Amino acid sequence: MRDIAAKIGVKIAAGLLPLPTAPRQRIGRGSGCSCAACDDCITQADIEYEVNVGSRRMLRFHSDCLTAWKDGHYYR
């Protein structure tokens, strides 16, 4: 989980990933897209979390990656 948190921190600092908010999200079977946090594929064996972070921007996460993004452990 620490590696994911570090990666999230780098992405936020670079402007590639927004700070977490209380966005609307959808949960479903993995679609094969890349996770916004870890960049690994979200396979059909995974649960995919789709998070709206703006009117036209959707992020996709693995469960653990979404938790790491929301928890904010990358600030420490």
Side-chain angles (χ1 to χ4, degrees):
M1 186 72 90
R2 242 182 216 169
D3 292 338
I4 294 169
K7 197 168 201 176
I8 290 170
V10 169
K11 286 185 169 199
I12 288 174
L16 299 173
L17 192 61
L19 290 171
T21 60
R24 292 172 39 179
Q25 66 185 30
R26 240 177 44 171
I27 302 168
R29 181 173 289 188
S31 64
C33 292
S34 295
C35 175
C38 72
D39 297 321
D40 289 343
C41 179
I42 306 171
T43 68
Q44 286 192 343
D46 298 318
I47 294 176
E48 179 176 296
Y49 293 80
E50 293 180 346
V51 179
N52 290 323
V53 292
S55 62
R56 297 184 178 196
R57 189 163 181 208
M58 171 97 53
L59 300 175
R60 291 172 171 83
F61 293 94
H62 293 103
S63 177
D64 289 345
C65 295
L66 177 66
T67 299
W69 180 61
K70 285 183 170 183
D71 285 351
H73 294 296
Y74 41 86
Y75 291 122
R76 297 183 184 125

